[in-house]
């Protein structure tokens, strides 16, 4: 979702400055941004780690070791120590990563689908439909999104899917507005007019002719929404409203860590550090994508 | 459109939105599994009900919590009180009315939020201006890095980092609680980074844009000292767009303090909201949700009005949103 796949044929002449498509030029600019490129590789590693968690983690996330409670760093068998119940921190961090990424990517996919549906219909059909749908987004705008997510989680329970949906449903508004604005700017262009005159249906026009124009800006907002969703997941867990224990979440690990800050500071330090690194990497990728698509100058 | 018609329309929209928020929250709460009495029995056990006779108490509570009347009547009864700012007693804190809880918790949230915004303005404007004036210098890159940190790290994570540093390493500040001014330091610092980043980003890009305006070029061409031109001509005008972010920022801070409140165990309003949702405390949840929504909408309205006052061009165009859209189109010179 947040990555751009390279098309070998299209990137061939970038160095000579004769890139063929908008996308290949954006990708060339992205690659030239070293921080963004390294971050992208790091994010890729994180995603692979999350997918392969059961094979990488030495223990299951709920497996307790009664002989090694609150073990410090470097304990044999538990390199990063254990928590109060004797659960391996390294394994829980990796499973926490899995939770965070699953929730974040799922939530953004859900919110993207809702945003595109609502934004497209509001912008394309216009009139009453537009007013109605924008009325809904106005109400959603008035509802602080974190608070809405909190209410939704209480309704849907605290399963992985529920948390994912709650974050997704509470974060589509900005993107829906973006899609609508994009639709309005291209709706009256000649090529859309041409498609309409050839008898293309409303669905075809919006999906094939209008939507592709919105993909660039949507990619940018989505790439920033991913770290925000990771933060929201951990935030809910911090409040005790996130994914149901014993499924690990960095938020609940941080919350537990604050209770043993003097006895076992690594319980707080490790999840916080990994969390911060992950968020920064995803944000740098987002920065890179934004700069790659922004051709207006240096100042944004 | 006259000012009063505009204001009237906006207030009407606010009332409609608030009604919608109340209906959504109430419906969702009805759909939520378990009611207040159940949750209390499960989570707090018999202790909450005074040890013995739990079943009888639960029955007695059923009528008090309105479980014996249809939901729509429950909603109407609540809303009838709500319009006169009387939300009734909370379920979880039966001795307190919800509006009293709001009156207690909100000043705490608002205090840390306001101090945080004031501080972030004090930090963001100078560094934003400096970064813009020295575009692409190390200072500019440093500012951009700070901005990335501020956008990437949620306030509670900044809070954790502060705790690790001040409490654990230096041992100077208490890690949680609310018993004096020094308990405010870390929560405020945790909240400052995010808004500072947002504001500095706006100040910087707005300043960069203003510096290219003809009147700035003209002032420089007439031989005005660079610093005077920047302070007197450019800064003033480039601060106008900041007003638009300030409102939503303040509102989101006031409501977004919930995580910092949870981390530092501060009895602010956000914490009450989270508790109310978890325990299905209908009046408290509805009351706080409506209150937050009201703040958010009022802030947006005030921002639009102030913005129109500061920049007469917007009044002519009929609103901030239209202005913002049209502002994208003027030809911008490539850097």
């Amino acid at each position: 979702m947040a990555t751009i796949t390279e098309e070998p044929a299209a990137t061939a002449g970038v160095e000579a400055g004769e890139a063929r498509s908008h996308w290949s030029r954006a990708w060339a600019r992205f690659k030239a941004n070293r921080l963004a490129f390294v971050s992208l590789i790091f994010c890729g590693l994180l995603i692979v780690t999350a997918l392969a968690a059961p094979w990488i983690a030495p223990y299951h996330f709920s497996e307790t070791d009664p002989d090694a409670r609150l073990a410090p760093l470097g304990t044999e068998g538990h390199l990063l120590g254990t928590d109060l119940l004797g659960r391996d921190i390294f394994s829980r961090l990796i499973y926490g990563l899995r939770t965070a990424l699953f929730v974040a990517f799922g939530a953004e996919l859900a919110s993207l689908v809702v945003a595109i549906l609502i934004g497209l219909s509001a912008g394309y059909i216009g009139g009453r439909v537009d007013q109605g749908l924008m009325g809904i987004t106005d109400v959603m705008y008035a509802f602080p999104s974190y608070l809405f997510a909190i209410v939704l989680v209480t309704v849907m329970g605290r399963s992985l899917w529920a948390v994912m949906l709650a974050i997704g449903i509470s974060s589509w508004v900005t993107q829906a507005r973006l899609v609508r604005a994009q639709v309005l700017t291209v709706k009256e262009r000649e090529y859309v007019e041409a498609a309409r005159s050839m008898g293309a249906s409303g669905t075809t026009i919006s999906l094939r002719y209008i939507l592709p124009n919105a993909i660039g800006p949507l990619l940018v907002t989505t790439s920033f929404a991913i770290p925000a969703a990771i933060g929201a997941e951990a935030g809910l867990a911090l409040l005790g409203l996130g994914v149901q224990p014993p499924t690990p979440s960095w938020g609940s690990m941080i919350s537990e860590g604050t209770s043993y800050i003097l006895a076992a500071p690594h319980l707080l330090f490790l999840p916080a550090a990994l969390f911060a690194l992950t968020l920064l990497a995803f944000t740098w990728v987002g920065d890179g994508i934004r700069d790659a698509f922004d051709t207006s100058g240096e100042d944004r | 459109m006259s000012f009063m018609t505009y204001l009237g329309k906006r207030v009407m929209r606010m009332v409609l939105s608030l009604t919608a928020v109340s209906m959504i929250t109430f419906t969702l709460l009805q759909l939520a599994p378990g009611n207040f009495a159940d949750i209390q029995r499960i989570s707090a056990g018999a202790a909450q009900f005074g040890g013995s006779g739990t079943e009888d108490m639960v029955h007695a509570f059923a009528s008090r919590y309105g479980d014996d009347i249809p939901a729509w009547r429950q909603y109407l009864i609540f809303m009838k009180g709500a319009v006169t700012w009387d939300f009734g007693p909370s379920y979880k804190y039966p001795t307190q009315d919800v509006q009293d809880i709001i009156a207690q918790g909100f000043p705490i949230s608002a205090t840390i939020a306001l101090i945080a915004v004031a501080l972030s303005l004090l930090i963001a404007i100078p560094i934003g201006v400096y970064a813009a004036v020295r575009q692409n210098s190390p200072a500019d890159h440093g500012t951009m890095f700070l901005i990335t940190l501020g956008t990437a790290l949620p306030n509670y994570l900044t809070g954790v980092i502060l705790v690790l540093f001040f409490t654990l390493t230096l041992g100077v500040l208490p890690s949680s609680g609310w018993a004096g001014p020094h308990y405010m330091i870390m929560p405020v610092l945790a909240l400052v980074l995010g808004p500072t980043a947002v504001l500095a980003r706006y100040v910087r890009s707005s300043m960069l844009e203003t510096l290219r305006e003809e009147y700035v070029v003209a002032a420089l061409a007439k031989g005005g000292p660079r610093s005077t031109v920047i302070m007197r001509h450019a800064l003033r005008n480039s601060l106008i767009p900041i007003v638009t972010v300030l409102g939503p920022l303040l509102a989101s801070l006031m409501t977004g303090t919930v995580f910092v409140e949870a981390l530092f165990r501060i009895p602010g309003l956000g914490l009450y909201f989270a508790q109310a949702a978890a325990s299905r405390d209908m009046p408290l949840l509805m009351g706080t949700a409506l209150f937050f929504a009201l703040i958010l909408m009022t802030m947006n309205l005030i921002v639009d009005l102030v913005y129109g006052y500061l920049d007469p061009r917007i009044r002519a165009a009929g609103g901030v949103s239209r202005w913002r859209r049209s502002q994208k189109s003027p030809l911008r010179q490539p850097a």
Side-chain angles (χ1 to χ4, degrees):
Chain A
M1 247 160 91
T3 59
I4 309 170
T5 43
E6 185 179 0
E7 293 165 41
T11 38
V14 169
E15 302 305 324
E18 48 184 76
R20 272 162 231 158
S21 78
H22 181 58
W23 290 91
S24 57
R25 266 175 295 157
W27 172 237
R29 276 195 297 269
F30 184 86
K31 267 200 306 193
N33 183 341
R34 209 176 298 152
L35 184 61
F37 195 65
V38 171
S39 300
L40 182 66
I41 293 173
F42 183 69
C43 291
L45 283 177
L46 287 179
I47 292 169
V48 171
T49 312
L51 288 175
W55 294 280
I56 293 177
Y59 301 89
H60 187 255
F61 58 77
S62 57
E63 193 178 327
T64 56
D65 183 348
D67 299 330
R69 287 181 177 180
L70 286 180
L73 291 178
T75 307
E76 202 176 321
H78 302 286
L79 203 60
L80 296 184
T82 58
D83 67 5
L84 189 70
L85 301 173
R87 297 177 297 192
D88 186 54
I89 298 287
F90 179 64
S91 307
R92 285 183 66 76
L93 282 176
I94 287 177
Y95 277 100
L97 171 71
R98 193 179 163 96
T99 307
L101 294 190
F102 178 82
V103 168
F105 278 92
E108 279 327 299
L109 193 65
S111 93
L112 209 54
V113 170
V114 176
I116 289 177
L117 279 179
I118 290 194
L120 266 186
S121 354
Y124 188 73
I125 303 171
R128 284 255 171 87
V129 179
D130 188 21
Q131 275 176 12
L133 289 175
M134 283 302 112
I136 297 177
T137 60
D138 274 351
V139 172
M140 294 288 296
Y141 227 55
F143 215 138
S145 60
Y146 280 134
L147 304 188
F148 193 54
I150 290 172
V151 175
L152 282 174
V153 170
T154 54
V155 175
M156 298 189 294
R158 292 168 59 188
S159 70
L160 263 181
W161 292 94
V163 173
M164 189 186 95
L165 270 182
I167 294 173
I169 293 175
S170 51
S171 67
W172 54 268
V173 183
T174 323
Q175 280 167 328
R177 291 182 167 213
L178 182 78
V179 174
R180 175 175 172 273
Q182 288 286 320
V183 174
L184 290 181
T185 56
V186 297
K187 196 173 145 183
E188 306 299 334
R189 295 267 171 88
E190 281 90 350
Y191 71 91
V192 177
E193 198 65 32
R196 201 175 294 133
S197 72
M198 287 192 293
S201 70
T203 324
T204 316
I205 293 175
S206 17
L207 290 182
R208 299 236 349 238
Y209 294 84
I210 295 179
L211 185 60
N213 283 291
I215 287 183
L218 269 182
L219 191 61
V220 174
T221 50
T222 307
S223 64
F224 285 111
I226 297 265
I230 296 177
E233 185 272 321
L236 284 176
L238 184 80
L239 297 179
L241 292 166
V243 178
Q244 186 79 41
T247 308
S249 157
W250 290 340
S252 48
M253 290 176 80
I254 286 175
S255 168
E256 285 161 23
T258 53
S259 310
Y260 305 101
I261 179 166
L262 295 176
H266 62 286
L267 289 189
L268 184 58
F269 174 73
L270 291 172
L274 185 59
F275 186 24
L277 264 183
T278 306
L279 289 177
L280 279 176
F282 275 98
T283 308
W284 276 322
V285 171
D287 273 343
I289 294 178
R290 185 194 54 207
D291 294 345
F293 277 100
D294 184 17
T295 48
S296 64
E298 298 283 319
D299 56 329
R300 284 285 155 131
Chain B
M1 187 165 46
S2 83
F3 176 72
M4 287 319 282
T5 338
Y6 175 70
L7 192 66
K9 266 193 176 168
R10 288 293 299 264
V11 172
M12 268 303 289
R13 277 229 325 253
M14 270 173 68
V15 173
L16 280 178
S17 298
L18 280 176
T19 317
V21 166
S22 73
M23 281 160 90
I24 293 171
T25 314
F26 190 83
T27 315
L28 287 175
L29 202 58
Q30 289 297 316
L31 294 173
N35 59 27
F36 179 74
D38 290 343
I39 301 280
Q40 285 304 301
R41 221 168 359 165
I42 295 161
S43 65
Q48 199 73 26
F49 291 99
S52 60
T54 334
E55 275 303 307
D56 291 341
M57 302 280 280
V58 167
H59 279 298
F61 278 153
S63 65
R64 190 159 119 210
Y65 298 147
D67 290 339
D68 53 350
I69 56 170
W72 61 269
R73 274 194 56 199
Q74 224 176 311
Y75 174 75
L76 287 183
I77 291 171
F78 176 82
M79 286 310 282
K80 214 173 121 190
V83 289
T84 57
W85 201 250
D86 175 14
F87 300 109
S90 150
Y91 291 169
K92 194 171 177 186
Y93 308 96
T95 52
Q96 279 178 299
D97 274 353
V98 171
Q99 64 269 24
D100 297 337
I101 295 181
I102 293 178
Q104 256 172 41
F106 181 64
I108 296 178
S109 305
T111 309
I112 44 178
L114 281 174
I115 298 178
V117 166
L119 259 183
S120 57
L121 272 174
L122 283 179
I123 303 169
I125 294 178
I127 65 170
V129 170
Y130 192 76
V133 173
R134 298 275 156 85
Q135 197 185 356
N136 290 329
S137 72
D140 185 25
H141 292 304
T143 309
M144 291 314 278
F145 182 74
L146 188 81
I147 287 172
T148 314
L149 279 187
T151 12
L153 304 183
N155 50 31
Y156 56 88
L157 187 54
T158 317
V160 168
I161 296 169
L162 289 171
V163 168
L164 285 170
F165 184 68
F166 284 111
T167 309
L168 199 65
T169 315
L170 298 182
V172 285
L173 289 174
S175 70
S176 66
W178 189 251
H182 61 294
Y183 283 87
M184 257 195 316
I185 298 175
M186 281 204 288
V188 166
L189 286 182
L191 283 172
V192 160
L193 188 61
T196 306
V198 176
L199 287 171
R201 189 195 290 271
Y202 267 84
V203 172
R204 178 178 174 275
S205 67
S206 168
M207 192 70 186
L208 280 173
E209 224 158 284
T210 321
L211 284 176
R212 292 197 209 106
E213 294 282 345
E214 277 165 14
Y215 61 83
V216 175
V217 178
L220 283 172
K222 285 203 304 194
R226 201 170 145 77
S227 55
T228 316
V229 174
I230 288 168
M231 297 308 282
R232 295 253 319 258
H233 299 261
L235 182 61
R236 277 201 191 176
N237 284 300
S238 60
L239 286 186
I240 292 179
I242 309 302
V243 176
T244 51
V245 272
L246 209 54
L249 205 65
L250 204 57
S252 76
L253 256 175
M254 282 183 184
T255 56
T257 48
V258 45
F259 301 106
V260 170
E261 283 165 19
L263 183 70
F264 292 105
R265 313 215 161 89
I266 298 169
L269 196 54
L271 207 54
Y272 281 109
F273 180 87
Q275 282 178 4
S279 65
R280 313 280 188 279
D281 188 339
M282 191 275 282
L284 187 55
L285 185 74
M286 295 279 286
T288 41
L290 282 175
F291 183 72
F292 281 136
L294 182 67
I295 292 182
L296 207 65
M297 285 187 264
T298 315
M299 290 288 176
N300 285 334
L301 180 61
I302 293 175
V303 162
D304 281 6
L305 296 181
V306 170
Y307 204 53
Y309 172 76
L310 288 177
D311 193 337
R313 285 175 298 181
I314 303 148
R315 251 176 294 167
V320 170
S321 48
R322 199 176 301 170
W323 162 249
R324 270 200 216 121
R325 226 174 291 141
S326 66
Q327 213 189 15
K328 292 256 188 291
S329 53
L331 290 173
R332 292 172 57 200
Q333 293 144 0

